[in-house]
Each structure stands twice: as structure tokens, then as C-alpha cells.
Amino acid sequence: MQVCRTIGEIKEFANKARVAGKTVGLVPTMGYFHEGHLNLMREAKKNCDVVVVSLYVNPIQFGPKEDLGEYPRDFDRDCTMARSVGVDAIFAPGNDEMYPPGYNSFVEVAGITNKLCGLSRPGHFRGVTTVVAKLFNIVKPDRAFFGQKDAQQAMVIEKMVRDLNMGLEVVTLPIVREADGLAMSSRNVYLSAEQRQAAPVLYRSLCAFRDAVAGGERDVQKLCRGIEEMILSTPGAQIDYVEILSVPDLEPLNTMTGRCIAALAVRFGKTRLIDNIVVEV
Amino acid sequence: MQVCRTIGEIKEFANKARVAGKTVGLVPTMGYFHEGHLNLMREAKKNCDVVVVSLYVNPIQFGPKEDLGEYPRDFDRDCTMARSVGVDAIFAPGNDEMYPPGYNSFVEVAGITNKLCGLSRPGHFRGVTTVVAKLFNIVKPDRAFFGQKDAQQAMVIEKMVRDLNMGLEVVTLPIVREADGLAMSSRNVYLSAEQRQAAPVLYRSLCAFRDAVAGGERDVQKLCRGIEEMILSTPGAQIDYVEILSVPDLEPLNTMTGRCIAALAVRFGKTRLIDNIVVEV
């Protein structure tokens, strides 16, 4: 496995693969890998000849009061894990490599970024689409792999790719969960033992929502309240948002129809966790 | 010469060229060709195996009160002219092809777009960078050719390409002028006979500026006033802006140092013309 620190190195690596007629898969990450990341890498490996994993804690997708400084990092462990699933190259640039002095260009998807995490984290998706557009231009992958935990992110990136004619395939893979249902996230390490024990309520509330829909409930407000009540009954859980929206336009709904997503963001102390479930009515 | 109306067709055309090991040059235009455009095409032909010219009056770079509706168009004449200089393919998409319903993604360069034409035409450069990014993604050219008349546009695109790692070469070619010095522009056809006769004052004022600098004048305010006075002495000329800025950062200056651009936008009736000159001190 090759470790590239500069744009020039990874471009050369990906170029060589392309010239040799190989397909290239890209898994953009912020590192501190868990089973969710490894699942993306394995799937990339299955579907592409060469797999590049980018490992970069992208500062411009963090708000000024967010956890950029604390974001967990363990480069050596990440390299070992990536190697173990057959990743061919890691691209781990520094900030000066990605955003040299005077940097000032941005890619933005409007509309679907003005809700859910886009509302709680202004500028977040602009940071995401900008860094992902850069990574796509640098690596020129045939396919890029994202996790469904960041459901809105995956939709935003799919829209960016389609609107801007980026000509690659975006593959979104299901959420990987701990045994007790908690969605895997690098941020789970922030949780105290108590918070960790409480956090699976997020998934339980989404399962209860899914079951209620399966049982015939169609009233979005009522369903939303059901999720909220379940979460609020858990000590220490503070709701950032709970919303049920249409997929993929993320429009508000009164009645469950077609593909719908129930998405939530909840704080346990300073740690903000997200989760979601998509149901088809 | 192939005429492509869909993104699929031009992608296939450019792809075939690339697979055959040929270099691809792109000349993005809004059509209604003049010698300036032909010069870009000839230079592209000299430097690339295959030349694609895009011909698209991009609605999102026009403000609501601007001349989108009136912008001159003559597709058959444009095709004849492009063919005469050896262009290999014209890409002339419709609006639904470029911006299908629900379109909502944009590329933006901040900083250097907040001055000159960016001030007079809010949103203009966002429209330019978005359509050019799309064209780059569609055609994947090795080189793209722009004219120095739109000096700020060329700088903005160079910055976008560098910042977003687009990995192509931006070539900017000198302004082509009429015999009396007027910069060639598709918008010159809007001018009445009287306005057409008055318009060369723009270039004369820039030449006087250049001569004053050559003669030792370094006071930017004084030089600026010189240009303005010369233009205002011409009946019917209304100044939008006259500015002298650093190149390529477009920062304001007190004293002429290094590379500087004198750039102006002037209205004759409803017609807004731009021109510029770069000097090195």
C-alpha cells in the first residue's frame, strides 16, 4: 500500500492505474476508521481494480465552534486497517497541500443543503462538496463510495456529481451498526460510558418509527413526535433535529408517501450523533 | 466538423479522441464569433490535436436586467466560421441539457470576483465558473483557451482550475482589436454608428495610461483620473468603473508596482463595453 502525502504523488499513482486500463475506486474519509469505513473499502475493492482511500480531516467542513481540534486521529492504526482490506493507496495530504495560502474556490449545492445538518452546521456541506470535488479532480475515480449514515451528505454529493457532470458513479452503502444498534461513527469515542449506554436509543427510535409506518401510521407529525418522545425520555439526550422528509429532494411532508427518510441529530453532552432510516411507503 | 447538441454526444466525441491518444483543446464561447474567437480557435488548433468549441449563451451568468434575450446569435454563420479554421466539433447544448429542472450546484471563486465586473454584475462570475466547470468535466480538455478582453474572467478561471485541482492548462490570448483600436466583442453590434465612432476612446485612454506609466508616472489615482477624464470627454460615454489593480490578485494600489491592470467598463447607451491593458513596472 502506497502512502501519498502530496497531490502530485496520488495523481501519478491514479494516472498509472488508469493508463494500465484499471478502474479506480475512491473512498473519501476523515480517518479514525471503523467497520463502516472498512465496509466501504471492501466494497470498493470488489468493484474496482485499484482502491484509493483519502484520509483528511477537512477543516473547511467544520464550524468555528465544532470539534475540528478534537477530531480523533490515529494514522498508523488507520494504515494498518486499510492495508488489511487490500487498499492500494492512502492519500493523506496536509492542509497546505489542499488549501494553499490564498485558496478561495468553492463548490456548493443549494436547496437540499438548507435543512437537517445544513441548518445546524452552516457552511458544512459547502466544505464537503468543495473537498470532494477536489478529490474527484485529483484522483479521477470511476466510482466513489460513501456511507448512508451521512445520508444528506451522500445525496448532496450525488446531486453535485449529476449537476456538474462529474461523470463518475456515487455508491452509497448501508449504515454499519454496533451490536446494540448504535451507528458506527468516529465520534462515538467521545462518549462517556453512560452516554455510550444511552446512545442506542437513536436507532431504537428509528426502528419504532419504521414499525409504526409498517403498522399503517402515515401522519408525519405524529411519527416525528414518536421519535422525539422516545429520545427525550433518555437522560442526557438533547435533540438537535428530528425530521421526516422526502427522498431525494428532502422536502417536508405531511403524510408518508413514496421514499421517505427519518433523520436525526442528537447531542449527548458535547458529542453530536446522527442517524437515519429510509422507508418506502 | 461535428455538431453536438447533447452532453452525451460531445462526451463520446472527446472520449474517442482521448482514447486515440489525441490532445483535446476547448474554446468556451457564447457564439456570434469575431476575429477574437477565431484567434482562440486557431491557437487551439495549433496546440491540440482536436479542438472543441462550445457555443452556449449561458443564462446564469446574466443578471435579471441584462442582455440575455438580446444577446446576438447566428448559429449557421458561427458554424461556417468555426469550420473555416479547422474546428473539429461544436458543442451547442440547449438550456435543459445544461440546467435540467431542479439544477442547483454552483462553483464559486471568492475574493477576486468581488471587484470590477463582479461588483457591477453580481452573480456573473458564479455563472461563468459554474458553466466552465461543467464544460471542463464534460469535455475533459488538456487545454482551454480564453481571451484577455475578459481579463478578470481569465484570472477567475485560472484560480478555479488551480484551487480545485482541475488539472488542465488555461491559455489566455491577447485582445484582438479593430483597426481603430476597439476591442472586438460580440456586443459591438449593439452600437449605433455614432457610438461605434466614439467607442475607440476606451483603447485610446488605455494607451495614454500606458504611455504615462512609461513616462514615469506612478500615482495610481492620477493615472486613473487620466483615463476617466479622457472617456468622460466623449459624448455618450458613461463610466461603470475604471480601476487600476495588481495582477493576478486584483488588489487596490496607491503606486504602480509589478504587474498592474487598468480595467474599465463603460456604457454607450444600453451597451456595456469592457477593455483593459496590463503593464509591468
Side-chain angles (χ1 to χ4, degrees):
Chain A
M1 188 180 74
Q2 193 167 328
V3 174
C4 302
R5 293 288 187 177
T6 68
I7 291 168
E9 288 170 84
I10 193 68
K11 273 183 94 154
E12 198 191 323
F13 177 89
N15 247 330
K16 263 189 201 158
R18 246 189 323 279
V19 168
K22 292 178 178 170
T23 57
V24 177
L26 173 66
V27 184
T29 82
M30 300 210 302
Y32 211 72
F33 298 149
H34 50 65
E35 216 18 68
H37 295 109
L38 296 183
N39 188 44
L40 297 177
M41 297 175 205
R42 282 192 207 100
E43 192 67 20
K45 195 70 193 170
K46 244 187 263 172
N47 289 282
C48 306
D49 300 323
V50 165
V51 173
V52 173
V53 172
S54 65
L55 193 167
Y56 179 56
V57 182
N58 174 36
I60 71 167
Q61 73 186 68
F62 288 79
K65 288 178 182 169
E66 291 183 0
D67 58 341
L68 172 61
E70 295 83 55
Y71 200 84
R73 291 160 167 90
D74 190 338
F75 186 68
D76 294 340
R77 175 173 159 277
D78 283 347
C79 283
T80 307
M81 289 170 83
R83 200 178 288 112
S84 77
V85 294
V87 166
D88 300 282
I90 292 266
F91 174 47
N95 287 336
D96 275 1
E97 187 71 8
M98 291 299 273
Y99 304 111
Y103 185 93
N104 226 346
S105 301
F106 303 93
V107 178
E108 191 152 19
V109 175
I112 60 166
T113 54
N114 299 331
K115 39 201 86 179
L116 304 178
C117 289
L119 268 187
S120 329
R121 307 182 68 188
H124 168 67
F125 284 116
R126 185 199 201 218
V128 170
T129 42
T130 299
V131 80
V132 171
K134 282 170 67 73
L135 291 169
F136 286 175
N137 285 334
I138 292 166
V139 177
K140 299 188 180 72
D142 298 278
R143 288 184 198 90
F145 298 79
F146 296 88
Q148 172 67 15
K149 180 173 67 71
D150 302 283
Q152 190 179 10
Q153 171 179 279
M155 288 179 214
V156 167
I157 286 165
E158 272 180 35
K159 179 132 187 70
M160 170 183 79
V161 165
R162 208 168 45 240
D163 279 356
L164 294 177
N165 313 102
M166 290 181 168
L168 57 95
E169 190 188 343
V170 174
V171 181
T172 306
L173 297 180
I175 299 176
V176 178
R177 298 182 180 280
E178 303 287 353
D180 59 7
L182 179 63
M184 291 207 186
S185 165
S186 307
R187 289 189 169 97
N188 290 349
V189 295
Y190 294 150
L191 298 170
S192 70
E194 219 168 40
Q195 290 166 337
R196 174 63 191 81
Q197 219 182 350
V201 71
L202 304 187
Y203 184 53
R204 278 203 309 277
S205 73
L206 293 172
C207 291
F209 155 80
R210 181 196 58 201
D211 296 345
V213 174
E217 184 56 64
R218 294 291 178 269
D219 183 327
V220 165
Q221 225 188 330
K222 209 163 153 187
L223 287 162
C224 219
R225 216 158 38 222
I227 300 173
E228 286 171 355
E229 278 167 11
M230 199 155 171
I231 293 169
L232 289 176
S233 72
T234 308
Q238 271 192 301
I239 292 176
D240 181 352
Y241 65 75
V242 173
E243 290 207 58
I244 299 172
L245 301 169
S246 69
V247 173
D249 294 331
L250 298 182
E251 292 296 338
L253 295 165
N254 291 318
T255 307
M256 300 289 294
T257 30
R259 271 167 76 79
C260 309
I261 187 169
L264 53 82
V266 172
R267 281 176 210 283
F268 290 89
K270 288 200 309 189
T271 305
R272 184 176 172 280
L273 301 180
I274 58 174
D275 203 347
N276 68 83
I277 198 164
V278 174
V279 298
E280 182 111 34
V281 177
Chain B
M1 188 180 74
Q2 194 166 328
V3 174
C4 301
R5 293 288 186 177
T6 68
I7 291 169
E9 287 170 82
I10 193 68
K11 274 183 93 153
E12 200 191 322
F13 177 89
N15 246 330
K16 264 190 200 159
R18 247 190 322 279
V19 167
K22 293 179 178 169
T23 58
V24 177
L26 173 67
V27 184
T29 82
M30 300 209 301
Y32 210 72
F33 297 149
H34 50 64
E35 217 17 70
H37 295 110
L38 297 183
N39 188 45
L40 297 177
M41 297 176 204
R42 282 192 207 100
E43 192 67 21
K45 194 70 193 172
K46 244 188 264 172
N47 289 283
C48 306
D49 300 323
V50 165
V51 173
V52 173
V53 171
S54 65
L55 193 167
Y56 179 56
V57 182
N58 174 36
I60 71 167
Q61 73 186 69
F62 287 80
K65 288 178 185 169
E66 291 182 0
D67 58 343
L68 172 62
E70 295 82 56
Y71 199 83
R73 292 160 166 92
D74 190 337
F75 186 68
D76 294 341
R77 176 173 159 276
D78 283 347
C79 283
T80 306
M81 289 170 83
R83 201 178 287 113
S84 77
V85 294
V87 166
D88 299 282
I90 292 267
F91 175 46
N95 287 336
D96 275 1
E97 187 71 7
M98 291 299 273
Y99 303 112
Y103 186 92
N104 226 345
S105 301
F106 303 93
V107 178
E108 192 152 20
V109 175
I112 60 165
T113 54
N114 299 331
K115 40 201 87 180
L116 304 178
C117 290
L119 268 187
S120 329
R121 307 183 67 187
H124 169 67
F125 285 116
R126 186 200 201 215
V128 170
T129 42
T130 298
V131 80
V132 170
K134 282 170 67 74
L135 292 169
F136 287 174
N137 286 334
I138 292 165
V139 176
K140 299 188 179 71
D142 298 278
R143 289 184 198 89
F145 297 79
F146 295 88
Q148 172 67 14
K149 179 173 67 71
D150 302 282
Q152 190 179 10
Q153 170 178 280
M155 288 179 212
V156 168
I157 286 166
E158 272 181 34
K159 179 131 187 70
M160 169 183 80
V161 165
R162 206 167 48 242
D163 278 356
L164 294 178
N165 314 103
M166 290 180 169
L168 58 95
E169 189 188 343
V170 174
V171 181
T172 305
L173 297 181
I175 299 177
V176 178
R177 299 181 180 281
E178 303 285 355
D180 61 6
L182 178 63
M184 292 206 185
S185 164
S186 306
R187 287 189 170 98
N188 290 349
V189 296
Y190 294 150
L191 298 171
S192 69
E194 217 168 42
Q195 290 166 338
R196 174 64 190 81
Q197 218 182 350
V201 71
L202 305 186
Y203 185 52
R204 279 203 311 276
S205 73
L206 294 172
C207 290
F209 155 80
R210 181 197 57 201
D211 296 345
V213 174
E217 183 57 63
R218 293 292 177 269
D219 183 327
V220 164
Q221 225 188 332
K222 211 164 151 188
L223 287 161
C224 219
R225 218 160 34 224
I227 299 173
E228 286 170 354
E229 278 165 12
M230 197 154 171
I231 293 169
L232 289 176
S233 72
T234 307
Q238 272 191 301
I239 291 176
D240 181 353
Y241 64 75
V242 173
E243 290 208 57
I244 299 170
L245 301 169
S246 69
V247 173
D249 295 330
L250 298 181
E251 293 296 339
L253 295 165
N254 291 318
T255 307
M256 300 289 295
T257 31
R259 271 167 75 79
C260 310
I261 187 168
L264 53 81
V266 172
R267 281 176 209 282
F268 290 88
K270 289 200 308 189
T271 306
R272 184 176 171 281
L273 301 180
I274 58 175
D275 203 345
N276 68 83
I277 199 164
V278 174
V279 297
E280 182 112 33
V281 177

